[in-house]
Amino acid sequence: MAMVRVAPVSVQVRTDWFSGTPREITWGEDRLPVTKLVAVRDESSAYPAITGPRTVFEVDTPTLRLALTYQHRSRRWAIEGLDQAA
């Protein structure tokens, strides 16, 4: 299956204290533990100064693969894509 892009959905993310990688995602009432960090993409130079830099994490959970974005300027996490686990 392919990653399906969705309108950004705000979520709460618990991260590793030292590396800053996602460890648990709280989406509404659901808590999804991160089982694997698949990819990290730093998009610091890809966006204008007004928007600010962001980092995209592609992570696996027990049921989904998610594309999480972290907006550095606003310090917000959002889900921008998802894929059902095969």
Side-chain angles (χ1 to χ4, degrees):
M1 295 185 94
M3 183 72 66
V4 177
R5 296 289 169 204
V6 295
V9 176
S10 294
V11 293
Q12 293 180 347
V13 177
R14 295 180 72 186
T15 60
D16 183 75
W17 180 260
F18 296 107
S19 65
T21 58
R23 294 290 174 222
E24 182 183 72
I25 302 160
T26 304
W27 185 1
E29 303 249 335
D30 299 328
R31 283 190 171 178
L32 304 169
V34 173
T35 56
K36 181 180 176 187
L37 180 64
V38 178
V40 178
R41 186 172 58 237
D42 181 20
E43 297 182 346
S44 298
S45 60
Y47 285 83
I50 277 188
T51 308
R54 74 179 193 165
T55 304
V56 179
F57 296 91
E58 194 168 315
V59 298
D60 281 342
T61 66
T63 57
L64 297 169
R65 176 172 282 187
L66 301 170
L68 286 173
T69 59
Y70 178 70
Q71 299 284 339
H72 295 270
R73 183 164 291 161
S74 63
R75 296 181 180 171
R76 294 185 187 238
W77 288 92
I79 294 174
E80 290 198 350
L82 56 95
D83 184 13
Q84 296 288 334

